[in-house]
Amino acid sequence: MEVSVLNINGQETGRKVTLNDAIFGIEPNDHVIYLDVKQYLANQRQGTAKSKERSEHNGSTRKLGRQKGGGGARRGDINSPVLVGGGRVFGPKPRDYGFKLNKKVKILARKSALSYKAKDNEIIVVEDFKMEAPKTKDFINITKNLKVEGKKTLVVLPEVDKNVYLSARNLQTAQIMSASDINTYKILNADVLVVAESSLKTIDSILNK
């Protein structure tokens, strides 16, 4: 699949690049996409929720009422879960929600996500660019030139550029990532991918093993 290379002014440079069919042209596998996105979201969870159970409350262990004849539950001491202020039964405990995924599964998921974007013509290739200073106004002008203003845009650079990152940091619809850090969730969550030309080589080297 051939894509025209644009400059940051939105003009065609007269050059074209060929997207690797082994990465951008496969038959997408929806199940591995689901697994990879599920793992990503699970890893974002802090897992710090905690509530006190009966044994963790400070309170007297004196039995409040007789065992039988009260007409209600055997509530025991004041820390009983049936009383207001008592311990919670089977409450949440700190835990790690992450789980393991094989590398081949994660690679296939990223290939599938990129293939979906290529199929829907949601990939824009631009020639490599840099910004002399962090200016949000200049970055907005670039999005206007590329006709992606207002869309959720993932800009993929060959390596992290501090000025570009700082220029886009205040924009809710834009995100900057290096080619080595892209993941299935970020790809699918974006309406359009703006990929720097040199980033394609990095993506090829990582996903075409």
Side-chain angles (χ1 to χ4, degrees), residues 123-148:
I123 296 178
I124 297 175
V125 178
V126 297
E127 61 182 5
D128 295 347
F129 68 96
K130 289 185 178 294
M131 300 183 70
E132 296 181 359
K135 288 188 178 180
T136 302
K137 183 178 180 180
D138 291 347
F139 186 85
I140 292 176
N141 288 333
I142 293 175
T143 62
K144 287 180 180 179
N145 295 336
L146 297 175
K147 298 179 181 179
V148 297

Side-chain angles (χ1 to χ4, degrees), residues 32-33 35-37 39-40 43 99-113 182-184 207:
V32 297
I33 288 177
L35 291 176
D36 199 16
V37 170
Q39 188 199 44
Y40 175 83
N43 287 336
F99 59 92
K100 180 181 178 298
L101 268 187
N102 293 333
K103 287 183 180 179
K104 289 183 178 180
V105 172
K106 294 174 73 68
I107 289 175
L108 179 58
R110 276 177 282 178
K111 286 182 179 179
S112 298
I182 60 171
N183 58 67
T184 306
L207 299 184

Side-chain angles (χ1 to χ4, degrees), residues 109-125:
R110 276 177 282 178
K111 286 182 179 179
S112 298
L114 290 170
S115 295
Y116 268 127
K117 290 298 180 184
K119 183 179 179 182
D120 296 336
N121 295 318
E122 294 175 349
I123 296 178
I124 297 175
V125 178

Side-chain angles (χ1 to χ4, degrees), residues 161-203:
D161 187 306
K162 186 176 180 181
N163 287 339
V164 177
Y165 168 76
L166 292 176
S167 299
R169 183 172 58 176
N170 290 336
L171 301 177
Q172 293 184 346
T173 56
Q175 191 161 14
I176 311 297
M177 295 190 77
S178 64
S180 58
D181 292 333
I182 60 171
N183 58 67
T184 306
Y185 178 83
K186 295 295 185 182
I187 294 170
L188 294 177
N189 191 46
D191 294 328
V192 61
L193 301 185
V194 175
V195 184
E197 191 174 1
S198 297
S199 300
L200 294 173
K201 296 180 181 179
T202 305
I203 293 173

Side-chain angles (χ1 to χ4, degrees), residues 13-170:
T13 60
R15 294 183 291 111
K16 290 188 176 182
V17 292
T18 301
L19 299 181
N20 191 340
D21 286 339
I23 296 175
F24 296 90
I26 70 169
E27 182 65 30
N29 187 318
D30 291 339
H31 184 62
V32 297
I33 288 177
Y34 158 75
L35 291 176
D36 199 16
V37 170
K38 181 180 178 182
Q39 188 199 44
Y40 175 83
L41 293 176
N43 287 336
Q44 305 308 302
R45 300 184 67 174
Q46 288 183 320
T48 55
K50 174 71 173 72
S51 66
K52 288 187 176 182
E53 296 188 352
R54 183 171 189 163
S55 63
E56 297 171 312
H57 269 280
N58 290 327
S60 173
T61 57
R62 177 177 68 87
K63 190 175 178 68
L64 297 178
R66 46 196 287 190
Q67 178 76 0
K68 292 186 177 183
R74 304 175 183 89
R75 57 189 180 180
D77 59 38
I78 201 170
N79 301 320
S80 171
V82 302
L83 295 175
V84 175
R88 183 172 173 183
V89 181
F90 303 129
K93 294 181 178 180
R95 55 168 290 193
D96 180 11
Y97 287 90
F99 59 92
K100 180 181 178 298
L101 268 187
N102 293 333
K103 287 183 180 179
K104 289 183 178 180
V105 172
K106 294 174 73 68
I107 289 175
L108 179 58
R110 276 177 282 178
K111 286 182 179 179
S112 298
L114 290 170
S115 295
Y116 268 127
K117 290 298 180 184
K119 183 179 179 182
D120 296 336
N121 295 318
E122 294 175 349
I123 296 178
I124 297 175
V125 178
V126 297
E127 61 182 5
D128 295 347
F129 68 96
K130 289 185 178 294
M131 300 183 70
E132 296 181 359
K135 288 188 178 180
T136 302
K137 183 178 180 180
D138 291 347
F139 186 85
I140 292 176
N141 288 333
I142 293 175
T143 62
K144 287 180 180 179
N145 295 336
L146 297 175
K147 298 179 181 179
V148 297
E149 186 186 17
K151 296 181 180 180
K152 285 196 290 186
T153 306
L154 178 63
V155 180
V156 183
L157 302 176
E159 56 187 18
V160 177
D161 187 306
K162 186 176 180 181
N163 287 339
V164 177
Y165 168 76
L166 292 176
S167 299
R169 183 172 58 176
N170 290 336

